[in-house]
């Protein structure tokens, strides 16, 4: 046998029918495991089986009078199954009779399901739609606590002569169960704090999503390593007692990491976390970072509030030294922030920070003290934490200071950022826009932490980190009061963990709208979904031609 023949396999060629028809036949008729040297006595049985399975595939799509012919064509390397399909008239859905009895008859969730059924009158018949509707009824009954529900009738009546299929489904839900007593077996938090993670009360109607929410809340709290939930329905009392066993995470956690980006160069991070300072849920973490551009240390102390999964107070302090080439600064900061997750999913952060900064820009050294109240709203949604194909993130913040209240300058600043990811042509398109505006008399009064700069890995690629913005008379970048920048990018996976990308960035920092000059960077890149997160390598060319190109390397999530 030749090498080509050894590697060959049977092929099925289908003529006639739509793409949907051919795809469904291929799903039902599998000849890939048949040998190329098919014995002649197996040929007739194979053709008969292929016709039967193809006919079943057609019936599943509502074609009950299909003409199917099959032929086996032998070749030197292997053989082909030739199939010709003439679908005939398709059955459509006629009467859809779905009846709900029992307590679920007045349940809004069931009414919603019947308003938007999986199968509708006059739709082309698909058996999968009928099965989906039947499954939806049974699943919804279980999820809503109708544990004695019974599907009294489930019929799909097909009348080939009239070309109609009638659906008959009848569900008797029986009584609806309620949550019984909830016991929480854990040793991390005091009981009055731990029970605040429970999103329901004894006596509430049962919903399985509430159990899922409970498990996610405990797992997401950071206090527990594993969570197990057991239920024991009582048919006499129609109650479902819930027993939760939560085992603690290790009290101490340690962080050590290295990274690299062209903005700040090689970076090392070391951190420590105490996850259980006391049984009131207090915890803290501290971290130090060192790189050629930015180094510092900080500590954050967290106190949970009434709803420990949604509301907390953070007390923090930090020191940071940054040398960007356009400015040198040392910042000392202490602050307090109240974070609350709203019912809509947005995170609202109210903060008060005191910051003392020593900074040097264009040879001028200065010091500022700022007492800054602030408020921020943010939200992120995506279908995957590492490589989302659909999602978005939005944040907006306002902060300010008054020179008569422990501050050196007066200013009010707003800034916002939005990013979206969506599928396009088998790949992804990523868009970003960010902007900021500052109300202040003179930009030279503002410290570097309040001024805006552009350029760098996450701004306008093709330019160095914070190398764009208003300049003084010597040509040095001194930063601006305002910022506007954005980008559009398309990437395409050509291997499971590798993608190629093309992009265009634009923007700049500026003092007045009349001074705004948008600069562009455009180029190509590769993306690697590494075990430690996405890594991006880009080559970008600036629009003003100051460099032929610039290499950018960065890490971090897309959203």
């Amino acid at each position: 046998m030749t090498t080509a023949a050894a590697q060959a396999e049977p092929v099925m060629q289908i003529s006639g029918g739509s793409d949907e028809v051919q795809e469904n036949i291929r799903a039902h008729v599998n000849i890939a495991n048949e040998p190329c040297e098919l014995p002649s006595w197996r040929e007739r049985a194979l053709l008969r089986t292929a016709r039967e399975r193809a006919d079943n595939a057609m019936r599943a799509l509502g074609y009950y009078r299909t003409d199917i012919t099959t032929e086996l064509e032998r070749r030197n390397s292997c053989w082909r199954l030739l199939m010709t399909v003439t679908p005939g008239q398709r059955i459509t859905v006629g009467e859809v009779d779905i009846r709900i009895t029992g307590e679920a008859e007045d349940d809004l969730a069931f009414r919603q399901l019947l308003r938007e059924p999986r199968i509708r009158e006059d739709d082309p018949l698909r058996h999968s739609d009928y099965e989906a509707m039947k499954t939806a009824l049974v699943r919804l009954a279980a999820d809503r606590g109708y544990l004695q529900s019974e599907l009294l009738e489930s019929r799909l009546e097909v009348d080939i002569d009239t070309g109609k299929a009638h659906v008959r489904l009848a569900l008797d839900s029986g009584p609806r169960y309620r949550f019984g007593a909830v016991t929480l077996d854990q040793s991390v938090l005091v009981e009055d704090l731990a029970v605040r993670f429970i999103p329901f009360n004894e006596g509430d109607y049962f919903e399985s999503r509430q159990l899922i929410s409970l498990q996610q809340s405990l797992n997401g709290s950071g206090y527990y390593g594993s969570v197990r939930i057991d239920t024991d329905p009582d048919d006499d009392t129609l109650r479902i007692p819930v027993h939760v066993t939560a085992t603690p995470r290790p009290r101490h956690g340690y962080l050590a990491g290295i990274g690299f980006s062209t903005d700040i160069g090689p970076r090392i991070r070391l951190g420590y976390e105490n996850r259980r300072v006391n049984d009131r849920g207090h915890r803290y973490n501290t971290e130090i970072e060192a790189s050629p551009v930015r180094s510092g240390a900080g500590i954050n102390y967290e106190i949970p509030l009434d709803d420990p999964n949604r509301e907390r107070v953070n007390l923090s302090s930090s020191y940071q030294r940054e040398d960007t080439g356009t400015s040198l600064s040392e910042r000392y900061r202490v602050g307090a922030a109240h974070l609350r997750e709203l019912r809509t999913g947005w995170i609202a952060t109210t903060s008060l920070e005191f910051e003392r900064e020593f900074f040097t820009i264009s040879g001028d050294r200065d010091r500022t003290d700022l007492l800054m109240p602030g408020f921020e709203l943010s939200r992120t949604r995506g279908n995957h934490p590492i490589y989302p194909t659909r999602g978005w993130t939005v944040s907006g913040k306002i902060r300010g200071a008054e020179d008569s209240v422990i501050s050196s300058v007066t200013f009010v600043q707003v800034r916002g950022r939005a990013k979206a990811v969506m599928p396009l042509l088998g790949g992804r398109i990523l868009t970003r826009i960010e902007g900021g505006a500052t109300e202040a008399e003179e930009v030279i009064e503002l410290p570097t932490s309040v001024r805006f700069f552009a350029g760098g890995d996450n701004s306008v690629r093709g330019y160095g980190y914070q190398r764009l913005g208003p300049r003084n008379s010597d040509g040095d970048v001194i930063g601006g009061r305002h910022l506007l920048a954005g980008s559009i990018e398309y990437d395409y996976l050509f291997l499971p963990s590798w993608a190629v990308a093309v992009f265009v960035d634009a923007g700049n920092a500026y003092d007045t709208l009349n001074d705004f000059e948008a600069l562009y960077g455009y180029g190509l890149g590769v993306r690697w979904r590494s075990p430690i997160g996405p890594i991006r390598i880009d080559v970008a060319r600036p629009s003003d031609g100051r460099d032929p190109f610039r290499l950018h390397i960065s890490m971090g999530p897309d959203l």
Side-chain angles (χ1 to χ4, degrees):
M1 181 183 296
T2 65
T3 302
Q7 294 178 346
E9 62 180 27
V11 174
M12 180 166 58
Q13 181 177 311
I14 304 174
S15 302
S18 63
D19 291 343
E20 180 187 28
V21 162
Q22 294 190 11
E23 182 179 346
N24 208 42
I25 289 176
R26 293 184 188 280
H28 281 72
V29 182
N30 182 16
I31 61 171
N33 295 326
E34 296 288 346
C36 279
E37 296 180 348
L38 185 72
S40 358
W41 59 268
R42 279 268 297 127
E43 183 175 328
R44 181 178 297 178
L46 185 144
L47 294 176
R48 182 177 65 252
T49 301
R51 281 194 301 271
E52 291 173 354
R53 292 180 178 177
D55 188 58
N56 290 335
M58 297 298 292
R59 286 173 177 263
L61 296 177
Y63 296 99
Y64 275 72
R65 287 178 171 168
T66 305
D67 183 18
I68 301 173
T69 62
T70 55
E71 179 184 353
L72 191 141
E73 180 184 86
R74 294 185 180 271
R75 295 187 163 194
N76 291 334
S77 58
C78 202
W79 50 270
R80 290 195 306 172
L81 175 61
L82 306 178
M83 183 178 295
T84 303
V85 178
T86 306
Q89 183 180 1
R90 190 173 193 178
I91 304 292
T92 57
V93 179
E95 181 185 6
V96 178
D97 180 18
I98 304 175
R99 287 165 288 139
I100 308 294
T101 56
E103 290 188 20
E105 187 176 359
D106 297 321
D107 192 322
L108 292 178
F110 277 88
R111 291 184 178 182
Q112 178 66 25
L113 178 61
L114 296 185
R115 279 197 295 267
E116 300 177 3
R118 306 292 199 274
I119 188 167
R120 297 173 179 271
E121 187 175 342
D122 295 329
D123 281 353
L125 175 63
R126 293 182 180 85
H127 284 233
S128 59
D129 292 343
Y130 166 74
E131 294 296 334
M133 186 66 209
K134 186 166 63 172
T135 300
L137 286 170
V138 174
R139 180 178 296 140
L140 184 59
D143 290 345
R144 302 282 289 174
Y146 300 98
L147 302 191
Q148 298 180 24
S149 63
E150 183 180 359
L151 201 58
L152 300 178
E153 184 179 18
S154 58
R155 287 189 297 162
L156 178 62
E157 302 169 347
V158 178
D159 189 331
I160 299 177
D161 294 331
T162 62
K164 293 290 183 180
H166 306 292
V167 176
R168 318 269 184 212
L169 292 170
L171 176 79
D172 180 16
S173 71
R176 187 176 183 185
Y177 285 56
R178 296 175 183 265
F179 282 109
V182 183
T183 56
L184 182 54
D185 183 7
Q186 60 87 39
S187 59
V188 175
L189 305 174
V190 293
E191 184 178 357
D192 71 320
L193 177 62
V195 297
R196 295 179 202 166
F197 286 99
I198 303 173
F200 54 86
N201 298 311
E202 182 179 352
D204 289 350
Y205 279 122
F206 178 86
E207 292 183 72
S208 63
R209 66 178 180 86
Q210 296 282 37
L211 294 181
I212 296 172
S213 177
L214 170 59
Q215 186 159 36
Q216 290 176 339
S217 294
L218 293 174
N219 281 325
S221 70
Y223 298 114
Y224 305 104
S226 65
V227 177
R228 175 179 172 180
I229 298 179
D230 297 303
T231 58
D232 186 18
D234 188 329
D235 294 335
D236 295 329
T237 62
L238 301 180
R239 295 293 176 109
I240 304 178
V242 178
H243 181 75
V244 183
T245 304
T247 58
R249 293 179 72 192
R251 180 187 294 271
H252 307 289
Y254 302 91
L255 166 70
I258 59 174
F260 178 86
S261 73
T262 42
D263 280 352
I264 64 173
R267 178 182 63 176
I268 183 171
R269 295 170 61 206
L270 298 174
Y272 165 75
E273 178 183 14
N274 187 323
R275 301 180 178 120
R276 300 195 304 279
V277 175
N278 53 40
D279 60 7
R280 301 302 306 177
H282 293 203
R283 54 192 170 194
Y284 70 87
N285 65 79
T286 182
E287 186 175 313
I288 60 174
E289 175 187 66
S291 77
V293 173
R294 185 171 62 222
S295 299
I299 185 170
N300 183 73
Y301 192 93
E302 180 180 311
I303 304 171
L305 298 181
D306 291 340
D307 186 344
N309 210 43
R310 295 177 178 269
E311 190 175 11
R312 65 185 184 272
V313 166
N314 286 350
L315 307 176
S316 60
S317 178
S318 66
Y319 164 78
Q320 182 174 287
R321 183 183 189 277
E322 188 171 37
D323 184 354
T324 67
T326 56
S327 65
L328 173 64
S329 71
E330 289 186 89
R331 292 197 292 272
Y332 301 84
R333 186 192 64 82
V334 293
H338 173 253
L339 289 81
R340 183 184 178 194
E341 182 181 348
L342 307 178
R343 295 296 177 183
T344 56
W346 289 82
I347 306 295
T349 303
T350 305
S351 61
L352 180 65
E353 297 178 325
F354 175 77
E355 184 178 282
R356 172 168 290 179
E357 181 172 357
F358 300 90
F359 62 96
T360 303
I361 296 182
S362 186
D364 297 326
R365 181 170 174 81
D366 204 350
R367 167 193 145 179
T368 57
D369 290 339
L370 298 175
L371 181 66
M372 298 179 289
F375 180 75
E376 182 177 8
L377 273 176
S378 63
R379 190 178 185 189
T380 298
R381 299 190 68 180
N383 60 1
H384 195 278
I386 303 299
Y387 190 80
T389 56
R390 191 180 299 275
W392 52 268
T393 182
V394 176
S395 65
K397 183 175 183 178
I398 182 171
R399 63 176 180 171
E402 170 60 48
D403 61 5
S404 62
V405 185
I406 323 178
S407 297
S408 306
V409 298
T410 298
F411 77 93
V412 176
Q413 184 177 82
V414 294
R415 65 187 308 163
R417 181 182 177 91
K419 192 170 185 180
V421 182
M422 63 194 74
L424 179 69
L425 302 176
R428 303 183 308 166
I429 188 166
L430 300 91
T431 59
R432 170 183 56 87
I433 186 169
E434 60 180 323
T438 310
E439 178 62 34
E441 289 187 3
E442 294 288 343
V443 70
I444 58 173
E445 297 179 348
L446 301 175
T448 58
S449 60
V450 177
R451 303 188 195 188
F452 288 111
F453 299 85
D457 301 340
N458 299 299
S459 180
V460 182
R461 285 164 286 189
Y463 298 89
Y465 179 52
Q466 295 194 359
R467 297 301 176 89
L468 295 182
R471 298 174 180 269
N472 61 12
S473 57
D474 295 327
D476 299 324
V477 177
I478 60 173
R481 289 182 294 180
H482 313 302
L483 171 73
L484 182 61
S487 72
I488 185 167
E489 178 176 316
Y490 177 79
D491 71 18
Y492 184 86
L493 278 173
F494 64 93
L495 289 174
S497 297
W498 290 87
V500 293
V502 294
F503 59 87
V504 177
D505 298 342
N508 211 334
Y510 59 100
D511 254 345
T512 67
L513 194 58
N514 291 334
D515 299 330
F516 178 68
E517 178 189 5
L519 294 176
Y520 299 86
Y522 52 91
L524 304 172
V526 295
R527 309 286 180 261
W528 178 36
R529 298 189 330 191
S530 77
I532 59 174
I535 295 177
R536 292 174 286 273
I537 303 174
D538 295 314
V539 176
R541 181 177 177 84
S543 62
D544 62 2
R546 66 177 67 178
D547 294 313
F549 66 87
R550 179 177 286 271
L551 178 68
H552 293 271
I553 301 174
S554 61
M555 302 173 61
D558 292 316
L559 294 177

